[in-house]
Amino acid sequence: MNFVISLVMLMVLTAGVALYFGKQAFTEAGPSANGDTFLVKPNTGVQDIADQLERRGLISDARVFRLGVRAFGNDSALKAGEYEIKPRASMRDIMELLKSGKSVMYSLTVPEGLTVEQALQRIADEPALSGDMPATTPPEGSLATDTLRFTRGATRQQMVDKLLADQKKLVDDVWQRRAPDLPLANVEEFVTLASIVEKETGKGDERSRVAAVFLNRLAKGMRLQSDPTIIYGLFGGKGKPADRPIYQSDIQKQTPYNTYMINGLPPTPIANPGRAALEAVANPSKTDDLYFVADGTGGHVFAATLEEHNENVARYRALQKKQADDAAKAAGATDASDSNADKPADSGDGDTGTAQ
């Protein structure tokens, strides 16, 4: 009897000691000095999670982790996701994190003015996304310009579907609040003009005035003469190479998008317009402006008459010449250009309307 009692007491003592040290091991600082991200795939059991954590050096003992999770009744409470394990995180800290489901979030930004092709390339290149790209390319101008937040494993198709749905809702909402008597036949023309405005200026305080110039021109039957439409006609959704200017000869090239050569709007948008450009076209400034040209400081100057516009162009060209002369002097260079060469066009700097 004494032996049995002693054995029971020894077992109880051993269990108590094991429980004490197990609890201490479960709550003490972990072995990882730097921390790491840890991915829990769907339908992964606690034993597999514990083994992976130990192999990664994030916990010291998989068995203690597994028993600790069970002791807290969290066997089925750990959620799939990608988690940021902090340095020296204890097993209990890791259990609570995996129980919370607070996965690492990634961001994907589609800026205003990207073409659909350029936006899709960003989605294709994002390593945290999974799955194939859509088999069919969405129409130009149909993707929202936004920053999407997602967890690892979200699919590329989900991203495209989200951008398509968000842009449709935005366009429909803004179109319903448009000013009366806009010279636009339908919502497709609305998005097309907004895409041109998006590419013409990045200054928020100019968009509604730029939109007014184009709308005034449409109302009068004047050609839009927008440089970004030349670029889209030449290079399509891939966009113009950064080191390639618009040449004088480009202005005369016949494409369906070159608004120096065609009447009215191009057949499709030339980029994905953002909210500000859509709002500017839907509710433009009330002006008589028909022209604008770059002012040399990143903005534009506007004019209602060709005479005034020509004066603005002359001032801009004089500024360009002065800047070129100053640069040449600084470099010790002389002007040896061929006057018959195909030079970069002044209109490439935002000259809407003929200056001759």
Side-chain angles (χ1 to χ4, degrees), residues 142-144 157-173:
S142 64
L143 299 181
Q157 183 68 62
Q158 288 173 332
M159 298 297 104
V160 174
D161 290 345
K162 170 71 170 167
L163 293 172
L164 283 168
D166 287 353
Q167 185 73 339
K168 184 179 187 307
K169 183 179 185 304
L170 173 63
V171 168
D172 289 345
D173 288 348

Side-chain angles (χ1 to χ4, degrees), residues 180-237:
D181 302 325
L182 293 178
L184 300 171
N186 50 49
V187 69
E188 289 76 22
E189 289 191 355
F190 166 59
V191 177
T192 296
L193 184 55
S195 73
I196 296 174
V197 172
E198 187 68 74
K199 298 297 288 184
E200 280 284 5
T201 181
K203 296 193 68 176
D205 59 349
E206 284 190 349
R207 287 193 183 96
S208 63
R209 198 166 180 183
V210 169
V213 168
F214 290 129
L215 288 164
N216 291 341
R217 281 179 162 252
L218 286 174
K220 290 179 177 292
M222 299 172 66
R223 288 180 176 174
L224 297 186
Q225 298 184 319
S226 167
D227 297 340
T229 64
I230 299 175
I231 295 169
Y232 194 87
L234 293 174
F235 301 100

Side-chain angles (χ1 to χ4, degrees), residues 37-170:
T37 56
F38 182 74
L39 179 64
V40 178
K41 295 181 179 179
N43 303 316
T44 304
V46 174
Q47 182 169 338
D48 287 339
I49 292 173
D51 291 341
Q52 291 174 34
L53 286 167
E54 183 178 339
R55 285 196 298 270
R56 294 278 299 277
L58 295 169
I59 62 174
S60 57
D61 192 316
R63 183 177 57 178
V64 171
F65 181 83
R66 184 173 66 252
L67 293 173
V69 170
R70 184 170 300 164
F72 280 94
N74 290 326
D75 259 5
S76 59
L78 306 188
K79 298 178 175 63
E82 185 179 20
Y83 299 93
E84 186 72 37
I85 308 295
K86 294 181 179 180
R88 302 298 184 188
S90 69
M91 295 189 205
R92 180 166 185 172
D93 293 336
I94 295 173
M95 177 191 72
E96 294 295 341
L97 178 62
L98 272 55
K99 181 181 174 183
S100 74
K102 295 179 180 178
S103 296
V104 174
M105 299 298 293
Y106 292 86
S107 296
L108 174 70
T109 299
V110 178
E112 293 86 348
L114 288 191
T115 65
V116 163
E117 184 174 349
Q118 291 167 334
L120 292 180
Q121 190 60 54
R122 289 196 172 206
I123 296 171
D125 292 343
E126 174 52 62
L129 291 172
S130 64
D132 296 329
M133 293 297 293
T136 304
T137 300
E140 190 63 84
S142 64
L143 299 181
T145 59
D146 199 1
T147 296
L148 299 179
R149 300 273 289 167
F150 63 94
T151 58
R152 181 178 290 277
T155 69
R156 293 179 172 86
Q157 183 68 62
Q158 288 173 332
M159 298 297 104
V160 174
D161 290 345
K162 170 71 170 167
L163 293 172
L164 283 168
D166 287 353
Q167 185 73 339
K168 184 179 187 307
K169 183 179 185 304
L170 173 63

Side-chain angles (χ1 to χ4, degrees), residues 196 200 222-236 246-268 270 347 351:
I196 296 174
E200 280 284 5
M222 299 172 66
R223 288 180 176 174
L224 297 186
Q225 298 184 319
S226 167
D227 297 340
T229 64
I230 299 175
I231 295 169
Y232 194 87
L234 293 174
F235 301 100
I246 301 176
Y247 294 107
Q248 292 285 353
S249 58
D250 292 336
I251 298 174
Q252 304 302 318
K253 289 179 179 176
Q254 283 283 359
T255 76
Y257 289 87
N258 185 352
T259 54
Y260 283 81
M261 304 300 293
I262 65 169
N263 296 322
L265 290 161
T268 73
I270 62 171
S347 54
D351 178 9

